[in-house]
Amino acid sequence: MSNFAFGLGVGTQSAAGDWLEVYFNAPLLNAADDLIKAVGDALGYEGGNQTIEIEESQLKALEAAFLSVGAEDQAEIVEVLEGTRQPLVVCILASDEEPQTTAEVYLKLSLLSHRLVKPHGINLTGMFGKLPNVAWTNEGAVALDELPKRQLAARAQGRVLDVHSVDKFPKMTNYVVPAGIRVGDAARIRLGAHVGEGTTVMHEGFINFNA
Amino acid sequence: MSNFAFGLGVGTQSAAGDWLEVYFNAPLLNAADDLIKAVGDALGYEGGNQTIEIEESQLKALEAAFLSVGAEDQAEIVEVLEGTRQPLVVCILASDEEPQTTAEVYLKLSLLSHRLVKPHGINLTGMFGKLPNVAWTNEGAVALDELPKRQLAARAQGRVLDVHSVDKFPKMTNYVVPAGIRVGDAARIRLGAHVGEGTTVMHEGFINFNA
Amino acid sequence: MSNFAFGLGVGTQSAAGDWLEVYFNAPLLNAADDLIKAVGDALGYEGGNQTIEIEESQLKALEAAFLSVGAEDQAEIVEVLEGTRQPLVVCILASDEEPQTTAEVYLKLSLLSHRLVKPHGINLTGMFGKLPNVAWTNEGAVALDELPKRQLAARAQGRVLDVHSVDKFPKMTNYVVPAGIRVGDAARIRLGAHVGEGTTVMHEGFINFNA
C-alpha cells in the first residue's frame, strides 16, 4: 500500500461546519506502509486520497494504531489532542493528485514548509478553489461572515478580536518554524513557503507560498 | 428631522475618562427619520450633532426604541452589549460638520471603511486634534501614560502586553472587514481607508485613512 | 562605589532554565551610589558586573532597600512584582564592559531605547552570542525547540500560538514606548533602537537595534 503523504490535523470550522484551516503538527511524506495499514484499519480507510474527519472518541484507537507500529511521535501528538473539542482530521494521500479538500491543501502546504518537498515539487492544481478566504485573528481563524458578530461580542466582553490578515493563506510560523531561520516580521511568509536553513528574512522581505 | 449619520458604539477610555477609540459595529448613513426620533426620545436628544455617553442601564430603552421602528439589526447589537462593562456611546449627527469629539471622528472613519461614503466625501476638518495617540495592543487601546504600568503588571502575571502600533489611527480590520477583499498584512490599512470590493492588498501595500 | 547601570527585570526562561529575554521596566544609568549600596547589601553584591537571579521571596528585602534610599519608583516596581511566578533578575553593571549574559544585553538595549544612552554610545561587543534566537508570540517568548509542542497544545485547547517573529531581538514597543513617537507597525523597530522625540515611523520604515 504505497503512500504519498499522511497527516493528523486539528483545525477550525465555521459555524456552518466548513473547514477554515488545518494545523498538521508533524506531517509525513511517504509514510511507512505499516503505519498507513494500522491507521487505515483503525479508521476504515479503503485506499485512495481520503480526508477523514474523526471524533475525539476515536483518538484512543488511533494512538494504539501508532504504537503498534512504533510511531511514537505520532502517538504523542494524539495524546496531546485527547480531550480536545476542536475538529480533527486525518489525511491519507495515496498519490500526489490534485487536492480535493481544504485539509489536503493544508497538508501539502505543510509538507512544503516542513521542507519535506521542494517548491514546485508537489501538485497544487486547483488549490485556490479549496481555500476559503479567512480572517486570521488572535483567537484563530474566523469565517468572514461571522466576523462582525464575533468582533462585537469580544468588544462587549472587553476584548479586541485582532484581525492580522484576511487571506486564503495563513502565515507560515503559526504552523511551523523550520530549523535555522530568522524572520523579522512573520506576517510576510505564507504557509507553503519553503525557507531554507540559514535564511534570515528581514522586515522588508516577503515569501509567497510555494516559493 | 433630517439626519446625516448615526452610530451606537462601544469603546475604550483611559483611566482619566478620556475616550481612546470607539467601535461602531453597524454605523448608519442618512438614518431613517423615525429611527432617529425613537432613539432621540429614549436618550433625550434635542437636535444637532451630539455625542451621547450612555449607561448599560439605558440599553433596554434603546433596544425598545429600535424595535419600535423595525430596526432589528440595531436591536441585535444592543442585545449583545447588554451586561457590558465597557463605555458606550451614541452619536447622532444631524449634518456633516467638523467632528467635535473622538467618537464623531471614529463614526466618520467607520462610514468610510464601511463604504457608506467615498474618500474625500466627508468633512474631517480638524480630526487630528480629536484623536489621541494610543498604544494599540492585544488587550485593546491603552493610554500612553498608562502603558509602562500595564506592561509591568502583565509581565508579573506571565503575560505580554503586545504593542502593535502607536498611532492616532487603529487598523481598519479591527473595526470592519468590508466584503470581497484580501489583506496580506492588516497593519497596513488604517481605519478610514475605503477599500473597494475585489481589492487585494499584498504585504507591501499601505492604504492611508480617507484614501 | 561608582556604577554604570542598574536594572530590575522580569523575564522568560526556557524549560531548560536558559534566559530568553528580560523586561526592565525602568533601567537606571549611573544609579546613585547609595541605591547600589543598599540593593547590593540586600542581595550580597560584591562589586563588578553582576547578573543576580533573585527569588520572589527576596522582593520584600529589595523593596526595603529601595525605600531606605528614597527610590520610590523602583520600590513601586517591586510591589507590582510581588507574588509573581516569573523569573526575576537584578543587573548591576559597575562599568560598561562587554555584556556577559542575556540579561546584561537586554539591560543595555533597554538603556538605548529608553534614550538613556545614544546609539553607538554603549559597549555591545559580542552581544549576538548572548542572545538566543527566540519565537516571539502572543504568549511571550518561546524557545524554538519547545515551539511545536506549545503550538499543538494551544491548538488542542482551542487557542492559536501566534508567532510574530523569530529573531534574536524583540520589538521595542513591548519593552518601552519612549515619549512623543508614533509607530505605524511596531514590528519594524527592534529593542535597542533609539527613537527620538517627535519621530513618526510610518509603515514602510524599519529601525534596527542601536541605530
Side-chain angles (χ1 to χ4, degrees), chain A residues 10-12 21 23 25 76-77 80-81 84-86 140 164 171 173-175 177 181-186 188 202-204, chain C residues 133 138 144 147-149 151-153 155-158 160-169 185 187-188 190 204 206 208:
Chain A
V10 52
T12 313
E21 58 83 49
Y23 168 71
N25 184 263
E76 276 180 34
I77 294 172
V80 177
L81 291 175
T84 191
R85 298 178 184 186
Q86 301 306 115
H164 305 136
K171 63 182 174 192
T173 54
N174 283 6
Y175 293 77
V177 175
I181 71 166
R182 290 171 61 191
V183 180
D185 184 350
R188 298 308 190 75
M202 291 304 288
H203 297 68
E204 279 306 291
Chain C
N133 198 21
N138 58 328
L144 287 172
L147 187 64
K149 279 206 160 71
Q151 288 182 307
L152 179 63
R155 288 303 198 119
Q157 294 158 22
V160 167
L161 189 62
D162 193 33
V163 179
H164 305 136
S165 70
V166 180
D167 201 351
K168 287 172 175 279
F169 296 85
D185 183 350
R188 297 310 189 74
R190 284 169 155 174
E204 279 306 290
F206 172 62
N208 217 333

Short mmCIF file of all heavy atoms in Angstrom, two decimals, chain A residues 10-12 21 23 25 76-77 80-81 84-86 140 164 171 173-175 177 181-186 188 202-204, chain C residues 133 138 144 147-149 151-153 155-158 160-169 185 187-188 190 204 206 208:
data_model
loop_
_atom_site.label_atom_id
_atom_site.label_comp_id
_atom_site.label_asym_id
_atom_site.label_seq_id
_atom_site.Cartn_x
_atom_site.Cartn_y
_atom_site.Cartn_z
N VAL A 10 -5.51 19.14 13.47
CA VAL A 10 -6.53 19.76 14.31
C VAL A 10 -6.78 21.14 13.69
O VAL A 10 -5.84 21.84 13.34
CB VAL A 10 -6.08 19.85 15.78
CG1 VAL A 10 -4.72 20.50 15.91
CG2 VAL A 10 -7.10 20.59 16.63
N GLY A 11 -8.04 21.49 13.53
CA GLY A 11 -8.30 22.71 12.78
C GLY A 11 -9.46 23.52 13.29
O GLY A 11 -9.87 23.42 14.46
N THR A 12 -9.99 24.31 12.38
CA THR A 12 -11.08 25.22 12.71
C THR A 12 -12.16 25.09 11.64
O THR A 12 -11.85 25.02 10.46
CB THR A 12 -10.57 26.68 12.72
OG1 THR A 12 -9.37 26.75 13.47
CG2 THR A 12 -11.61 27.61 13.33
N GLU A 21 -9.27 25.97 8.19
CA GLU A 21 -7.82 25.69 8.16
C GLU A 21 -7.55 24.46 8.99
O GLU A 21 -8.37 24.09 9.83
CB GLU A 21 -7.01 26.88 8.69
CG GLU A 21 -7.35 27.30 10.11
CD GLU A 21 -6.66 26.49 11.20
OE1 GLU A 21 -5.44 26.30 11.14
OE2 GLU A 21 -7.37 26.03 12.12
N TYR A 23 -4.22 22.51 11.11
CA TYR A 23 -2.83 22.51 11.60
C TYR A 23 -2.33 21.07 11.68
O TYR A 23 -2.90 20.24 12.39
CB TYR A 23 -2.78 23.16 12.98
CG TYR A 23 -1.46 22.98 13.71
CD1 TYR A 23 -0.31 23.64 13.30
CD2 TYR A 23 -1.37 22.15 14.83
CE1 TYR A 23 0.89 23.47 13.97
CE2 TYR A 23 -0.18 21.99 15.51
CZ TYR A 23 0.95 22.65 15.08
OH TYR A 23 2.14 22.49 15.75
N ASN A 25 0.74 19.05 12.91
CA ASN A 25 1.93 19.21 13.74
C ASN A 25 3.15 18.52 13.14
O ASN A 25 4.26 19.05 13.20
CB ASN A 25 1.66 18.66 15.13
CG ASN A 25 2.80 18.86 16.09
OD1 ASN A 25 3.60 17.95 16.29
ND2 ASN A 25 2.91 20.03 16.67
N GLU A 76 2.38 10.54 20.39
CA GLU A 76 2.46 11.66 21.34
C GLU A 76 1.55 12.80 20.92
O GLU A 76 0.96 13.48 21.76
CB GLU A 76 3.90 12.18 21.44
CG GLU A 76 4.74 11.38 22.42
CD GLU A 76 6.16 11.91 22.51
OE1 GLU A 76 6.36 13.14 22.38
OE2 GLU A 76 7.08 11.09 22.69
N ILE A 77 1.44 13.03 19.62
CA ILE A 77 0.52 14.07 19.14
C ILE A 77 -0.90 13.72 19.55
O ILE A 77 -1.66 14.57 20.03
CB ILE A 77 0.62 14.20 17.61
CG1 ILE A 77 2.01 14.72 17.23
CG2 ILE A 77 -0.46 15.12 17.07
CD1 ILE A 77 2.27 14.70 15.73
N VAL A 80 -1.68 14.54 23.16
CA VAL A 80 -1.95 15.96 23.43
C VAL A 80 -3.36 16.34 22.99
O VAL A 80 -4.02 17.16 23.61
CB VAL A 80 -0.91 16.86 22.72
CG1 VAL A 80 -1.22 18.34 22.95
CG2 VAL A 80 0.49 16.54 23.21
N LEU A 81 -3.82 15.69 21.92
CA LEU A 81 -5.14 16.04 21.38
C LEU A 81 -6.29 15.41 22.17
O LEU A 81 -7.44 15.83 22.03
CB LEU A 81 -5.24 15.62 19.92
CG LEU A 81 -4.35 16.42 18.95
CD1 LEU A 81 -4.43 15.83 17.56
CD2 LEU A 81 -4.78 17.89 18.93
N THR A 84 -9.68 17.11 23.41
CA THR A 84 -9.93 18.37 22.71
C THR A 84 -11.38 18.47 22.25
O THR A 84 -12.05 17.45 22.03
CB THR A 84 -9.00 18.53 21.49
OG1 THR A 84 -9.11 19.86 21.00
CG2 THR A 84 -9.37 17.56 20.38
N ARG A 85 -11.84 19.70 22.08
CA ARG A 85 -13.15 19.94 21.47
C ARG A 85 -13.01 20.48 20.05
O ARG A 85 -14.00 20.85 19.42
CB ARG A 85 -13.93 20.96 22.29
CG ARG A 85 -14.23 20.52 23.70
CD ARG A 85 -14.97 21.62 24.43
NE ARG A 85 -15.18 21.26 25.83
CZ ARG A 85 -15.90 22.00 26.66
NH1 ARG A 85 -16.47 23.11 26.23
NH2 ARG A 85 -16.05 21.64 27.92
N GLN A 86 -11.79 20.58 19.57
CA GLN A 86 -11.56 21.12 18.24
C GLN A 86 -11.79 20.04 17.19
O GLN A 86 -11.59 18.84 17.46
CB GLN A 86 -10.13 21.63 18.11
CG GLN A 86 -9.79 22.71 19.11
CD GLN A 86 -10.75 23.86 19.06
OE1 GLN A 86 -11.48 24.13 20.02
NE2 GLN A 86 -10.80 24.53 17.92
N GLY A 140 -7.70 32.87 16.48
CA GLY A 140 -7.72 31.85 15.46
C GLY A 140 -8.44 32.28 14.19
O GLY A 140 -8.76 33.46 14.01
N HIS A 164 -5.35 40.00 11.99
CA HIS A 164 -4.00 40.20 11.45
C HIS A 164 -3.97 40.25 9.94
O HIS A 164 -3.19 40.97 9.34
CB HIS A 164 -3.08 39.07 11.93
CG HIS A 164 -3.05 38.90 13.39
ND1 HIS A 164 -3.11 37.67 14.00
CD2 HIS A 164 -2.97 39.79 14.39
CE1 HIS A 164 -3.05 37.82 15.31
NE2 HIS A 164 -2.98 39.10 15.57
N LYS A 171 -0.14 32.69 7.94
CA LYS A 171 1.32 32.86 7.98
C LYS A 171 1.98 31.55 8.40
O LYS A 171 1.46 30.83 9.27
CB LYS A 171 1.72 34.03 8.85
CG LYS A 171 1.39 33.95 10.30
CD LYS A 171 1.84 35.26 10.97
CE LYS A 171 1.43 35.33 12.40
NZ LYS A 171 1.60 36.67 12.99
N THR A 173 4.60 30.74 10.17
CA THR A 173 5.16 30.47 11.50
C THR A 173 4.11 30.01 12.51
O THR A 173 4.48 29.47 13.56
CB THR A 173 5.89 31.71 12.07
OG1 THR A 173 4.99 32.81 12.03
CG2 THR A 173 7.13 32.00 11.27
N ASN A 174 2.82 30.22 12.21
CA ASN A 174 1.81 29.68 13.12
C ASN A 174 1.58 28.19 12.89
O ASN A 174 0.84 27.55 13.64
CB ASN A 174 0.50 30.45 12.95
CG ASN A 174 0.55 31.81 13.63
OD1 ASN A 174 1.59 32.20 14.12
ND2 ASN A 174 -0.56 32.51 13.65
N TYR A 175 2.23 27.63 11.88
CA TYR A 175 2.11 26.21 11.56
C TYR A 175 3.43 25.48 11.76
O TYR A 175 3.48 24.40 12.31
CB TYR A 175 1.58 26.03 10.13
CG TYR A 175 0.16 26.52 10.02
CD1 TYR A 175 -0.13 27.87 9.95
CD2 TYR A 175 -0.90 25.63 10.08
CE1 TYR A 175 -1.44 28.33 9.93
CE2 TYR A 175 -2.22 26.07 10.05
CZ TYR A 175 -2.47 27.43 9.98
OH TYR A 175 -3.76 27.87 9.97
N VAL A 177 7.89 26.47 12.27
CA VAL A 177 9.10 27.27 12.16
C VAL A 177 10.23 26.29 11.87
O VAL A 177 10.74 25.65 12.78
CB VAL A 177 9.38 28.07 13.45
CG1 VAL A 177 10.71 28.80 13.33
CG2 VAL A 177 8.26 29.06 13.72
N ILE A 181 16.21 29.33 11.01
CA ILE A 181 15.80 30.55 10.30
C ILE A 181 15.58 31.69 11.28
O ILE A 181 15.42 31.47 12.48
CB ILE A 181 14.50 30.35 9.47
CG1 ILE A 181 13.27 30.20 10.39
CG2 ILE A 181 14.64 29.15 8.54
CD1 ILE A 181 11.95 30.33 9.66
N ARG A 182 15.59 32.91 10.75
CA ARG A 182 15.16 34.08 11.49
C ARG A 182 14.19 34.85 10.62
O ARG A 182 14.38 34.94 9.40
CB ARG A 182 16.36 34.96 11.89
CG ARG A 182 17.23 34.29 12.96
CD ARG A 182 18.52 35.03 13.19
NE ARG A 182 18.30 36.38 13.66
CZ ARG A 182 19.26 37.31 13.73
NH1 ARG A 182 20.51 37.01 13.36
NH2 ARG A 182 18.99 38.52 14.17
N VAL A 183 13.16 35.37 11.22
CA VAL A 183 12.11 36.05 10.46
C VAL A 183 11.74 37.33 11.19
O VAL A 183 11.21 37.28 12.30
CB VAL A 183 10.85 35.18 10.35
CG1 VAL A 183 9.77 35.92 9.55
CG2 VAL A 183 11.16 33.85 9.70
N GLY A 184 12.02 38.47 10.55
CA GLY A 184 11.75 39.75 11.20
C GLY A 184 10.27 39.97 11.45
O GLY A 184 9.84 40.27 12.55
N ASP A 185 9.48 39.80 10.41
CA ASP A 185 8.04 40.02 10.53
C ASP A 185 7.34 38.81 9.92
O ASP A 185 7.26 38.66 8.71
CB ASP A 185 7.64 41.29 9.79
CG ASP A 185 6.15 41.60 9.97
OD1 ASP A 185 5.42 40.74 10.49
OD2 ASP A 185 5.74 42.70 9.57
N ALA A 186 6.82 37.96 10.80
CA ALA A 186 6.30 36.67 10.36
C ALA A 186 5.10 36.81 9.44
O ALA A 186 4.76 35.88 8.70
CB ALA A 186 5.94 35.81 11.57
N ARG A 188 4.98 38.18 6.83
CA ARG A 188 5.46 38.21 5.46
C ARG A 188 5.63 36.85 4.80
O ARG A 188 5.97 36.76 3.64
CB ARG A 188 6.80 38.94 5.40
CG ARG A 188 6.73 40.38 5.82
CD ARG A 188 5.62 41.10 5.04
NE ARG A 188 5.68 42.53 5.24
CZ ARG A 188 6.60 43.30 4.67
NH1 ARG A 188 7.48 42.81 3.85
NH2 ARG A 188 6.62 44.59 4.91
N MET A 202 14.53 39.54 6.58
CA MET A 202 14.39 40.79 7.30
C MET A 202 13.00 41.38 7.07
O MET A 202 12.19 40.83 6.36
CB MET A 202 15.50 41.76 6.88
CG MET A 202 16.87 41.30 7.36
SD MET A 202 16.94 41.04 9.16
CE MET A 202 16.90 42.75 9.69
N HIS A 203 12.75 42.53 7.66
CA HIS A 203 11.38 43.02 7.73
C HIS A 203 10.81 43.45 6.39
O HIS A 203 9.60 43.54 6.24
CB HIS A 203 11.30 44.16 8.75
CG HIS A 203 11.63 43.71 10.12
ND1 HIS A 203 12.89 43.32 10.47
CD2 HIS A 203 10.87 43.53 11.22
CE1 HIS A 203 12.91 42.95 11.75
NE2 HIS A 203 11.69 43.07 12.23
N GLU A 204 11.64 43.73 5.41
CA GLU A 204 11.09 44.12 4.11
C GLU A 204 10.74 42.91 3.26
O GLU A 204 10.05 43.03 2.26
CB GLU A 204 12.07 45.02 3.35
CG GLU A 204 12.01 46.45 3.79
CD GLU A 204 10.62 47.01 3.72
OE1 GLU A 204 10.10 47.19 2.62
OE2 GLU A 204 10.03 47.25 4.79
N ASN C 133 18.10 32.85 19.70
CA ASN C 133 17.05 33.04 18.70
C ASN C 133 15.74 32.55 19.32
O ASN C 133 15.69 31.44 19.86
CB ASN C 133 17.38 32.25 17.42
CG ASN C 133 16.59 32.73 16.22
OD1 ASN C 133 16.09 33.85 16.20
ND2 ASN C 133 16.47 31.88 15.21
N ASN C 138 2.23 35.67 20.94
CA ASN C 138 1.22 36.34 21.75
C ASN C 138 1.21 35.83 23.18
O ASN C 138 0.59 36.43 24.06
CB ASN C 138 -0.17 36.15 21.13
CG ASN C 138 -0.55 34.69 20.98
OD1 ASN C 138 0.30 33.83 20.77
ND2 ASN C 138 -1.83 34.40 21.09
N LEU C 144 12.75 27.90 20.72
CA LEU C 144 12.39 27.31 19.43
C LEU C 144 12.17 25.81 19.52
O LEU C 144 11.30 25.27 18.84
CB LEU C 144 13.46 27.65 18.39
CG LEU C 144 13.41 29.11 17.94
CD1 LEU C 144 14.59 29.46 17.07
CD2 LEU C 144 12.11 29.39 17.21
N LEU C 147 8.65 25.03 20.67
CA LEU C 147 7.55 25.65 19.95
C LEU C 147 6.53 24.65 19.39
O LEU C 147 5.32 24.83 19.62
CB LEU C 147 8.10 26.55 18.83
CG LEU C 147 7.07 27.40 18.10
CD1 LEU C 147 6.40 28.41 19.01
CD2 LEU C 147 7.73 28.12 16.92
N PRO C 148 6.95 23.59 18.69
CA PRO C 148 5.92 22.70 18.11
C PRO C 148 5.00 22.10 19.17
O PRO C 148 3.78 22.04 18.97
CB PRO C 148 6.76 21.61 17.42
CG PRO C 148 8.07 22.26 17.13
CD PRO C 148 8.32 23.20 18.28
N LYS C 149 5.54 21.72 20.30
CA LYS C 149 4.68 21.16 21.37
C LYS C 149 3.75 22.23 21.93
O LYS C 149 2.58 21.95 22.22
CB LYS C 149 5.55 20.58 22.50
CG LYS C 149 6.09 19.20 22.21
CD LYS C 149 6.37 18.43 23.51
CE LYS C 149 6.44 16.94 23.30
NZ LYS C 149 7.63 16.47 22.57
N GLN C 151 2.64 24.83 20.31
CA GLN C 151 1.64 25.14 19.29
C GLN C 151 0.55 24.08 19.27
O GLN C 151 -0.64 24.38 19.18
CB GLN C 151 2.30 25.26 17.91
CG GLN C 151 3.13 26.53 17.77
CD GLN C 151 3.76 26.69 16.40
OE1 GLN C 151 4.44 25.79 15.92
NE2 GLN C 151 3.56 27.84 15.77
N LEU C 152 0.96 22.81 19.36
CA LEU C 152 -0.01 21.72 19.36
C LEU C 152 -0.91 21.79 20.59
O LEU C 152 -2.14 21.64 20.49
CB LEU C 152 0.72 20.37 19.31
CG LEU C 152 -0.18 19.14 19.33
CD1 LEU C 152 -1.07 19.10 18.09
CD2 LEU C 152 0.65 17.87 19.45
N ALA C 153 -0.32 22.02 21.73
CA ALA C 153 -1.11 22.09 22.96
C ALA C 153 -2.11 23.24 22.90
O ALA C 153 -3.27 23.11 23.31
CB ALA C 153 -0.19 22.26 24.17
N ARG C 155 -3.45 24.53 20.19
CA ARG C 155 -4.50 24.12 19.26
C ARG C 155 -5.49 23.16 19.92
O ARG C 155 -6.70 23.28 19.72
CB ARG C 155 -3.87 23.43 18.04
CG ARG C 155 -3.14 24.38 17.11
CD ARG C 155 -4.08 25.47 16.64
NE ARG C 155 -3.57 26.13 15.46
CZ ARG C 155 -4.19 26.13 14.28
NH1 ARG C 155 -5.37 25.51 14.14
NH2 ARG C 155 -3.68 26.77 13.27
N ALA C 156 -4.97 22.21 20.67
CA ALA C 156 -5.85 21.24 21.33
C ALA C 156 -6.81 21.96 22.26
O ALA C 156 -7.94 21.51 22.48
CB ALA C 156 -5.02 20.20 22.08
N GLN C 157 -6.34 23.09 22.80
CA GLN C 157 -7.17 23.86 23.75
C GLN C 157 -7.97 24.96 23.06
O GLN C 157 -8.58 25.80 23.72
CB GLN C 157 -6.27 24.46 24.83
CG GLN C 157 -5.63 23.40 25.72
CD GLN C 157 -4.37 23.90 26.41
OE1 GLN C 157 -4.17 25.09 26.58
NE2 GLN C 157 -3.51 22.97 26.81
N GLY C 158 -7.93 24.99 21.73
CA GLY C 158 -8.74 25.95 21.00
C GLY C 158 -8.13 27.33 20.88
O GLY C 158 -8.79 28.28 20.50
N VAL C 160 -4.64 29.75 19.47
CA VAL C 160 -3.56 29.75 18.49
C VAL C 160 -2.36 30.40 19.13
O VAL C 160 -2.48 31.47 19.73
CB VAL C 160 -3.95 30.53 17.22
CG1 VAL C 160 -2.73 30.79 16.35
CG2 VAL C 160 -4.99 29.77 16.44
N LEU C 161 -1.21 29.74 19.05
CA LEU C 161 0.02 30.38 19.50
C LEU C 161 0.55 31.17 18.31
O LEU C 161 1.08 30.61 17.36
CB LEU C 161 1.03 29.32 19.95
CG LEU C 161 2.27 29.84 20.65
CD1 LEU C 161 1.94 30.56 21.93
CD2 LEU C 161 3.24 28.69 20.94
N ASP C 162 0.35 32.47 18.37
CA ASP C 162 0.64 33.33 17.23
C ASP C 162 2.10 33.76 17.26
O ASP C 162 2.53 34.47 18.17
CB ASP C 162 -0.28 34.55 17.29
CG ASP C 162 -0.28 35.33 16.00
OD1 ASP C 162 -0.12 34.73 14.92
OD2 ASP C 162 -0.41 36.56 16.06
N VAL C 163 2.86 33.33 16.26
CA VAL C 163 4.30 33.64 16.22
C VAL C 163 4.52 34.89 15.38
O VAL C 163 4.36 34.86 14.16
CB VAL C 163 5.09 32.45 15.63
CG1 VAL C 163 6.58 32.79 15.56
CG2 VAL C 163 4.86 31.20 16.46
N HIS C 164 4.87 35.98 16.04
CA HIS C 164 5.03 37.25 15.34
C HIS C 164 6.37 37.35 14.63
O HIS C 164 6.48 37.94 13.57
CB HIS C 164 4.93 38.42 16.33
CG HIS C 164 3.68 38.42 17.13
ND1 HIS C 164 3.65 38.66 18.48
CD2 HIS C 164 2.40 38.18 16.79
CE1 HIS C 164 2.40 38.59 18.92
NE2 HIS C 164 1.64 38.29 17.91
N SER C 165 7.41 36.83 15.25
CA SER C 165 8.71 36.86 14.60
C SER C 165 9.61 35.81 15.24
O SER C 165 9.29 35.28 16.31
CB SER C 165 9.37 38.25 14.70
OG SER C 165 9.76 38.53 16.02
N VAL C 166 10.67 35.49 14.54
CA VAL C 166 11.67 34.54 15.03
C VAL C 166 12.99 35.25 14.89
O VAL C 166 13.50 35.43 13.77
CB VAL C 166 11.65 33.24 14.19
CG1 VAL C 166 12.69 32.26 14.70
CG2 VAL C 166 10.25 32.62 14.20
N ASP C 167 13.55 35.67 16.00
CA ASP C 167 14.64 36.63 15.91
C ASP C 167 15.37 36.68 17.25
O ASP C 167 14.81 36.29 18.29
CB ASP C 167 14.05 38.02 15.59
CG ASP C 167 15.07 38.97 14.99
OD1 ASP C 167 16.26 38.65 14.95
OD2 ASP C 167 14.64 40.07 14.58
N LYS C 168 16.61 37.18 17.22
CA LYS C 168 17.31 37.41 18.47
C LYS C 168 16.78 38.64 19.18
O LYS C 168 16.92 38.76 20.40
CB LYS C 168 18.81 37.57 18.20
CG LYS C 168 19.52 36.25 17.84
CD LYS C 168 20.95 36.49 17.39
CE LYS C 168 21.68 35.18 17.16
NZ LYS C 168 22.19 34.57 18.40
N PHE C 169 16.19 39.55 18.43
CA PHE C 169 15.71 40.81 19.01
C PHE C 169 14.19 40.85 19.07
O PHE C 169 13.53 40.50 18.09
CB PHE C 169 16.18 42.00 18.17
CG PHE C 169 17.66 42.16 18.12
CD1 PHE C 169 18.43 41.45 17.21
CD2 PHE C 169 18.30 43.00 19.01
CE1 PHE C 169 19.81 41.59 17.18
CE2 PHE C 169 19.68 43.15 18.97
CZ PHE C 169 20.43 42.44 18.06
N ASP C 185 3.81 50.42 12.35
CA ASP C 185 3.86 48.97 12.52
C ASP C 185 5.01 48.65 13.46
O ASP C 185 6.18 48.69 13.07
CB ASP C 185 4.07 48.28 11.17
CG ASP C 185 4.04 46.78 11.29
OD1 ASP C 185 4.05 46.27 12.44
OD2 ASP C 185 4.01 46.10 10.26
N ALA C 187 6.29 46.14 14.60
CA ALA C 187 7.20 45.04 14.28
C ALA C 187 8.48 45.54 13.64
O ALA C 187 9.48 44.83 13.60
CB ALA C 187 6.51 44.04 13.34
N ARG C 188 8.46 46.77 13.16
CA ARG C 188 9.60 47.30 12.42
C ARG C 188 10.71 47.87 13.29
O ARG C 188 11.74 48.29 12.78
CB ARG C 188 9.13 48.40 11.46
CG ARG C 188 8.19 47.93 10.39
CD ARG C 188 8.77 46.71 9.69
NE ARG C 188 7.98 46.37 8.52
CZ ARG C 188 8.01 47.06 7.40
NH1 ARG C 188 8.79 48.10 7.27
NH2 ARG C 188 7.26 46.71 6.40
N ARG C 190 13.23 47.31 16.42
CA ARG C 190 13.77 46.38 17.39
C ARG C 190 14.14 47.07 18.70
O ARG C 190 14.55 48.25 18.70
CB ARG C 190 15.05 45.76 16.84
CG ARG C 190 14.85 44.69 15.80
CD ARG C 190 16.19 44.39 15.17
NE ARG C 190 16.21 43.04 14.60
CZ ARG C 190 17.22 42.56 13.89
NH1 ARG C 190 18.28 43.31 13.66
NH2 ARG C 190 17.19 41.34 13.41
N GLU C 204 6.32 51.78 6.25
CA GLU C 204 7.43 51.24 5.46
C GLU C 204 8.75 51.26 6.21
O GLU C 204 9.71 50.63 5.81
CB GLU C 204 7.58 51.99 4.14
CG GLU C 204 6.62 51.55 3.08
CD GLU C 204 6.68 50.06 2.85
OE1 GLU C 204 7.68 49.58 2.32
OE2 GLU C 204 5.72 49.36 3.21
N PHE C 206 11.85 50.99 8.93
CA PHE C 206 12.44 49.95 9.77
C PHE C 206 13.63 50.54 10.48
O PHE C 206 14.50 51.14 9.85
CB PHE C 206 12.86 48.74 8.92
CG PHE C 206 13.65 47.73 9.70
CD1 PHE C 206 13.08 47.08 10.77
CD2 PHE C 206 14.96 47.43 9.35
CE1 PHE C 206 13.80 46.13 11.50
CE2 PHE C 206 15.69 46.51 10.08
CZ PHE C 206 15.11 45.85 11.15
N ASN C 208 16.70 49.59 13.03
CA ASN C 208 17.42 48.48 13.61
C ASN C 208 17.86 48.80 15.04
O ASN C 208 17.80 49.95 15.47
CB ASN C 208 18.65 48.17 12.75
CG ASN C 208 18.91 46.69 12.69
OD1 ASN C 208 18.54 45.96 13.62
ND2 ASN C 208 19.53 46.24 11.63
#
